[in-house]
Amino acid sequence: MRLELTMDSIIQFVLLFTVGLVVSALSLADGDNDELIPYRREVYGNGRIFDISHRYVADMLGYESNDGIGDFLWLRRSMKNDSIANFSEMKFSVHTGTHVDTSGHVFDHYFDAGFDVDTLDLEVLNGLALLVDVPRDKNITAEVMQSLHIPRGVIRVLFRTSNTDRRLMYQKKFNTSFMGFMKDGAKWLAENTDIKLVGTDYLSVAAYDEAIPAHLVFLESREIILLEGLKLDDVPAGSYSVHCLPLRLAGAEGSPIRCILIN
Amino acid sequence: MRLELTMDSIIQFVLLFTVGLVVSALSLADGDNDELIPYRREVYGNGRIFDISHRYVADMLGYESNDGIGDFLWLRRSMKNDSIANFSEMKFSVHTGTHVDTSGHVFDHYFDAGFDVDTLDLEVLNGLALLVDVPRDKNITAEVMQSLHIPRGVIRVLFRTSNTDRRLMYQKKFNTSFMGFMKDGAKWLAENTDIKLVGTDYLSVAAYDEAIPAHLVFLESREIILLEGLKLDDVPAGSYSVHCLPLRLAGAEGSPIRCILIN
């Protein structure tokens, strides 16, 4: 067979070559784009680590707010204004998002005496924990606590309620119908279990109507630590190693906290 | 023997009884005071947990500042003003105290693409770590890195320098003579080790004169995470389980971080 270099075949070749170049260039660009898309995870290492903390965004839910927490972060110095590096500042309530409460939150004499978030026991905040499912659409009463049969010796319990099913923490508007501890549930826990770390899945461990009485019961002895606003979606109930690390904010009655579960 | 109730003996008895009452009352008051003195620890459980994060106080060192970080916390709503609870707010740079840097700190295109602190790998931030002592009064150069003989497979290393001996992190005034990585030390680490978590004991992992070049070398690949301002006093060198948990601040090129070592 003879190769005929007609004008048509030359044009065809040039066209195909050009298309090929464009396709290569596009896929290269795609590759670059892929590389510059940040990868956000809730679970790491195929289930070895579960992140049970919520992400801070302007639309994040705030206690008794309809508008979210609003802007909490801004660039104080930006590379776009010839700074040698980017430097952001942040500002928000220490009770924002996934956070911890100390006794000074509801007891002013403890606040004045300096029982701040830096005095919390890291041994309580780090160790074996149970993630349990609470009967749905019920507050955590003494009766519910009793029905959970949490054995003596269990120090850390994360209580998952219908708040998680309803994805209440993902709504910008505060919802008073969330589930939480009633005063008698808190009292039952304090008197009949060894639990020292109590976590739930909305901005308050206590139900809205008994928020203060239940907090008072939990925090009076200064032995129980309260984790609020945990993200317990898509984590199997069971036993984990929990690690919760608040900031060492001298004088603060609470702190944002990052919590993880390790399998 | 006859008991003589003279006026003298009665007065003596009443005096002694009164003194007894006063002493009892004083010791009771003492007991109450003891109970209300907060207990701050750096080590928990007889060496099971070492807290390697600094406490946030107004006098805490700030980068290139003589005056410390200043007031960073205030009561937005106080029980002294009839609030049902105390609610503090905080405000400070995400690079304050013990903190983590991400690639967006020194690479603006990574900042714009969203490689914020929430995209950091929790598997790098949690796991086996080495705490090593660096030869004193030297920056961490390629030569120093080579001399440390850190084996392949070691992912997390905390470098203790003379900054710890000099207690530089406890001084209110920023001191440019701190020790840290030189650019060639950072390059040697990136090219010849498997280290993905690098921590040091002053506000910058990089020596003052090479702060930006060394940060660029570390952060370009987005694989290395930098811990700055660690508190490494009184912790034996060796192998630990490290847990470092930053806040999930969407959009931030860094975050305050609480870090602990578990034995």
Side-chain angles (χ1 to χ4, degrees), chain B residues 41-52:
Chain B
R41 284 166 281 188
E42 306 301 327
V43 184
Y44 293 76
N46 287 321
R48 200 177 78 80
I49 300 179
F50 291 95
D51 192 345
I52 56 167

Side-chain angles (χ1 to χ4, degrees), chain B residues 104-119:
Chain B
H105 185 37
V106 289
F107 287 102
D108 210 35
H109 65 295
Y110 290 158
F111 184 89
D112 288 341
F115 290 96
D116 59 31
V117 70
D118 184 42
T119 66

